Amino acid sequence: MPKLKTNRGAAKRFRATASGFKRRRSFRNHILTKKATKLKRQLRPTAQVDESDYLSVTRMLPYATKKSAKRRRQYHAKDKSSQMMTQVKEVHHAKS
């Protein structure tokens, strides 16, 4: 099967995270003098890509989603192993 092409415009706009994709907020590039300070401050932090757009972003970034899924698996595996260790400690303390 041939390699998939990444949409380069999307690659510059979105970053994969463990829970999906993060993006910059719009309306914060130019003509900032007429915009209120409060609005500019609220537009500062990054946001998550909405569920309705998630499928299209994953299609544009086919390899980023694989990395994201791998990170999710690693995170959940680490979480499961810590839960198992806690259970083992509880059983050990119960025997003592």
Side-chain angles (χ1 to χ4, degrees):
M1 193 167 148
K3 292 181 181 177
L4 298 172
K5 285 199 171 185
T6 297
N7 181 308
R8 298 311 297 160
K12 295 166 189 173
R13 287 173 173 83
F14 304 108
R15 292 283 176 258
T17 64
S19 59
F21 291 95
K22 65 180 181 179
R23 64 172 175 83
R24 270 187 67 198
R25 294 181 187 269
S26 55
F27 303 109
R28 182 109 203 289
N29 286 330
H30 62 99
I31 316 176
L32 297 172
T33 52
K34 63 174 79 170
K35 293 175 185 156
T37 308
K38 181 179 178 180
L39 175 66
K40 291 185 278 191
R41 183 174 60 248
Q42 289 173 342
L43 294 174
R44 221 178 276 155
T46 57
Q48 286 287 112
V49 170
D50 194 60
E51 288 179 22
S52 59
D53 299 320
Y54 184 79
L55 184 61
S56 59
V57 174
T58 55
R59 283 183 185 149
M60 289 188 281
L61 303 172
Y63 298 104
T65 55
K66 290 177 183 173
K67 290 177 188 173
S68 172
K70 184 179 178 183
R71 282 190 210 112
R72 265 195 299 268
R73 282 195 303 272
Q74 288 173 343
Y75 176 78
H76 290 300
K78 188 190 300 184
D79 192 38
K80 284 182 182 176
S81 66
S82 66
Q83 287 176 352
M84 287 174 34
M85 289 298 293
T86 311
Q87 291 172 351
V88 168
K89 287 178 185 176
E90 289 172 358
V91 169
H92 181 71
H93 288 296
K95 289 181 180 178
S96 300

